[in-house]
């Protein structure tokens, strides 16, 4: 199977498993995220449209030289996408659709596990696709470095992301009772993932430098963290503050 076909297969699997996980999560883990079935449709449409547009815009920002090569030929413009753009675009699309439909409650908690599962499956496809996927890291001499086909051992950043996503979900699930405000589990997911990607991009090839140091994806991560800046202190306290011992000797 070609790298493109392999990546596409895992991407389709990620969508399918992620959707089934969402249906289960909605009933078992986040039953209060949606009060009406029509709200699911509104949020779903907003998420899909916003994610599709955001993913494409993020690619254009991250690698404009490749995206706009041979412009106005659309071939290169339609090639790439980014999960960071998809997440941020999905958030924007959901918020807009909720305003249109009059949905007031937070719906994000129902998406934490589906996103985690889907993204992990997708990153397996990225890892197996090798060099053609452009998600590998810089060359390194670390013992777990991977040769993706060019004879150069590199950081397997796809695997780093899988480990991070699973660890992050375990923490969010373990501390779920401390994340008391509706939507805080999703906010924790976004804050954690954007922070991770902001850092891990420093050990990946830089397709185009902004401010002489940052990639377009890192700029998007900073924008996302700025959007959540009021929530960051509360979420971090909920995730990492020690529980008080309420038992006192009499």
């Amino acid at each position: 199977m070609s790298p493109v076909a392999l990546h596409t297969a895992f991407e389709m699997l990620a969508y399918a498993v992620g959707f089934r996980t969402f249906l289960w999560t909605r009933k078992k883990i986040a039953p209060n995220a949606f009060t009406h079935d029509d709200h699911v449709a509104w949020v779903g449409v907003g998420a899909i449209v916003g994610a599709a547009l955001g993913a494409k815009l993020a690619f254009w920002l991250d690698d404009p030289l490749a995206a706009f090569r041979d412009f106005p030929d659309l071939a290169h413009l339609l090639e790439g996408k980014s999960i960071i753009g998809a997440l941020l675009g999905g958030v924007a699309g959901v918020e807009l659709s909720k305003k249109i439909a009059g949905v007031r409650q937070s719906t994000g908690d129902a998406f934490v596990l589906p996103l985690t599962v889907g993204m992990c499956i997708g990153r397996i496809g990225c890892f197996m696709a090798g060099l053609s996927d452009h998600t590998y890291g810089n060359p390194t001499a670390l013992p777990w470095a991977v040769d993706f086909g060019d004879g150069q051992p590199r950081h397997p950043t796809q695997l780093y992301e899988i480990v991070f996503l699973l660890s992050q979900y375990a923490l969010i699930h373990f501390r779920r009772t401390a994340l008391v405000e509706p939507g805080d589990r999703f906010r924790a997911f976004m804050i954690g993932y954007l922070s991770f990607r902001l850092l891990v991009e420093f050990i990946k090839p830089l397709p185009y430098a902004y401010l002489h140091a940052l990639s377009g994806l890192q700029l998007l991560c900073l924008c996302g963290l700025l959007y959540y800046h009021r929530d960051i202190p509360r979420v971090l306290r909920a995730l990492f503050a020690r529980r008080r011992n309420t038992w006192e000797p009499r």
Side-chain angles (χ1 to χ4, degrees):
M1 185 178 292
S2 69
V4 174
L6 188 63
H7 184 276
T8 301
F10 272 91
E11 188 173 349
M12 293 300 103
L13 181 63
Y15 292 145
V17 176
F19 178 70
R20 296 300 303 178
T21 306
F22 167 75
L23 296 179
W24 181 84
T25 300
R26 183 192 168 195
K27 293 181 179 180
K28 301 295 184 180
I29 299 179
N32 298 322
F34 295 93
T35 56
H36 302 286
D37 289 340
D38 58 338
H39 291 175
V40 179
W42 276 101
V43 169
V45 170
I48 292 171
V49 174
L53 294 175
K56 191 59 59 179
L57 290 172
F59 166 63
W60 298 348
L61 178 66
D62 189 53
D63 197 353
L65 298 181
F68 291 94
R69 187 169 65 240
D70 301 327
F71 187 82
D73 184 359
L74 298 179
H76 295 296
L77 285 175
L78 300 177
E79 284 179 351
K81 54 185 179 293
S82 167
I83 186 62
I84 295 174
L87 288 172
L88 295 176
V91 169
V94 167
E95 292 303 319
L96 179 60
S97 65
K98 285 168 62 176
K99 287 185 177 181
I100 295 173
V103 180
R104 296 184 178 181
Q105 76 272 15
S106 177
T107 57
D109 290 344
F111 293 93
V112 176
L113 181 58
L115 283 172
T116 300
V117 172
M119 290 165 65
C120 286
I121 295 174
R123 285 309 185 199
I124 295 174
C126 294
F127 177 78
M128 297 181 69
L131 293 172
S132 64
D133 194 66
H134 302 288
T135 55
Y136 48 81
N138 290 329
T140 180
L142 291 171
W144 55 80
V146 174
D147 180 358
F148 288 97
D150 62 348
Q152 186 73 260
R154 299 176 182 272
H155 285 286
T157 50
Q158 311 94 328
L159 301 185
Y160 295 171
E161 186 166 324
I162 292 173
V163 172
F164 172 80
L165 286 168
L166 294 176
S167 301
Q168 176 180 251
Y169 182 78
L171 176 62
I172 292 173
H173 184 71
F174 178 72
R175 298 288 292 179
R176 63 189 182 280
T177 56
L179 296 163
V180 293
E181 291 194 19
D184 268 358
R185 279 177 273 175
F186 181 75
R187 295 182 189 101
F189 171 87
M190 288 295 292
I191 292 168
Y193 184 73
L194 292 172
S195 300
F196 167 79
R197 287 299 301 269
L198 176 65
L199 296 176
V200 81
E201 291 298 311
F202 283 113
I203 59 170
K204 295 174 67 175
L206 184 63
Y208 187 84
Y210 294 88
L211 305 175
H212 304 290
L214 301 177
S215 70
L217 296 183
Q218 288 176 306
L219 293 180
L220 286 177
C221 288
L222 290 173
C223 290
L225 291 171
L226 182 62
Y227 174 77
Y228 288 107
H229 77 280
R230 294 182 179 178
D231 304 303
I232 291 175
R234 185 186 71 258
V235 169
L236 290 180
R237 284 195 300 269
L239 289 176
F240 299 107
R242 292 184 178 181
R243 296 179 179 179
R244 294 182 180 180
N245 187 356
T246 56
W247 180 85
E248 295 181 0
R250 295 183 183 273

